[in-house]
Amino acid sequence: DTSLTEVNAFSPSVPISPSSMTNQYKFEDGPELRDLFITVDDPESHITAIETFITYRVVTKTTRSEFDSSEYEVRRRYQDFLWLKSKLEEAHPTLIIPPLPEKFIMKGMVERFSDEFIETRRKALHKFLNRIADHPTLTFNEDFKIFLTAQAWELSSHKKQGPGLLSRMGQTVRAVASSVRGAVKNRPEMFTEMNNYMEMFSQKINLLDKIAHRIYKEEREYFNEMKEYGPIHTLWSASEEELAESLKGIAGCIDRCCRATERRMAGLSEHLLPILHEYVLYTEILLGVLKRRDQIQGELDSKVDALANKKTEKDLFSEEIGKLEDKVERANNALKADWDRWKQNMQWDMRSTFTNVAENNLRYYEE
């Protein structure tokens, strides 16, 4: 599809490998500038009378002065990550918060609490925290710091404090926006273009996600059939003296193809499926961010309309409109900057992912 060229319009030449791309594109948050390093590992099962759940170790190393120590180690469960995401959305409604894996990942492909499921989730949680750490604004969020440093009982106490001022403000914005139906009257053109881009991107990335899962499913079925096909030739060779060597040779060839196919499947499940699915989740997040920006715009528009119909209290309305105009401008600027940053990362991830898949396919067919 030629309309995908915009998505991949980083450079006219395609890098040879993902590793060469890492050197070609340097982002503002390069490793040499980082002062916060986070690792999610060591999953541990917990079984109680009420529920069974997994916790993960979160290790943080930092040189930042606002931290009391240079290293922290805490254990967190999935619900804690959900809490952090909701707090970031509450505090920064027009920033692009990284996606979390769903409650169940890759339905039909892995079982809950299986080693594969837990490892897939661990990687996704690790990426979630590191994307926040690399973000120029989210990385300094106070709830993020508490998530990384507080012991379980401290975090539990902090979570019970209830919704803050920003949450109540967000509810007000939603209430006002829900009463305003139809398109936002004064939405800047660039945000309409963003919305159109994301709707198109959503269609394409969802289609790619479905195709990738279908390829993986077909590859797995092929692999399972080959596993049975090789031993049959070995058994056959025992009863055919004249064909024995040839049949054993075929069995050995099938075995090598089996191992190559298994490596190819591992490459798909580790490098292609998670990236595509992450950006499926990103589309929902970005469309939500654009809606929240429109809600803030809608609140301003409703106040401007109210002022036009009011004969009295003009000074009060003018002051409220001034504050809302500032709020809309801040929301617009935050989203613009985050949009550029997200788009650059998305383009790099897509190119890197598909280059990696192409290289894996080359190796597979050579083998």
Side-chain angles (χ1 to χ4, degrees), residues 226-252 254:
M226 268 205 301
K227 277 202 303 185
E228 297 177 5
Y229 194 48
I232 289 172
H233 283 75
T234 303
L235 290 171
W236 186 8
S237 67
S239 59
E240 293 277 3
E241 289 184 13
E242 293 182 7
L243 297 176
E245 288 305 313
S246 297
L247 291 171
K248 286 178 182 177
I250 292 173
I254 292 172

Side-chain angles (χ1 to χ4, degrees), residues 338-355:
D338 233 22
W339 170 260
D340 291 338
R341 189 176 183 278
W342 174 83
K343 204 170 175 184
Q344 187 182 32
N345 277 297
M346 178 272 290
Q347 290 167 339
W348 188 88
D349 280 344
M350 287 295 135
R351 177 168 279 185
S352 175
T353 296
F354 284 107
T355 304

Side-chain angles (χ1 to χ4, degrees), residues 146-252:
I146 289 168
F147 177 91
L148 296 177
T149 60
Q151 293 305 310
W153 66 269
E154 294 174 304
L155 182 65
S156 179
S157 175
H158 183 73
K159 287 162 73 172
K160 289 175 183 175
Q161 291 178 9
L165 174 64
L166 284 165
S167 178
R168 294 196 295 273
M169 285 171 63
Q171 290 165 6
T172 303
V173 170
R174 284 192 291 275
V176 171
S178 64
S179 65
V180 181
R181 299 298 177 190
V184 178
K185 290 187 296 182
N186 299 314
R187 178 202 278 165
E189 181 64 25
M190 76 168 296
F191 296 110
T192 299
E193 290 173 2
M194 279 186 197
N195 201 75
N196 293 339
Y197 180 96
M198 285 313 303
E199 286 179 355
M200 180 66 73
F201 181 81
S202 177
Q203 291 175 14
K204 292 183 177 183
I205 201 71
N206 273 282
L207 181 60
L208 286 171
D209 187 52
K210 287 177 183 176
I211 291 170
H213 277 83
R214 192 175 72 215
I215 290 170
Y216 182 85
K217 181 174 178 288
E218 290 174 355
E219 202 75 11
R220 186 175 57 182
E221 290 170 353
Y222 174 59
F223 171 73
N224 289 335
E225 286 181 6
M226 268 205 301
K227 277 202 303 185
E228 297 177 5
Y229 194 48
I232 289 172
H233 283 75
T234 303
L235 290 171
W236 186 8
S237 67
S239 59
E240 293 277 3
E241 289 184 13
E242 293 182 7
L243 297 176
E245 288 305 313
S246 297
L247 291 171
K248 286 178 182 177
I250 292 173

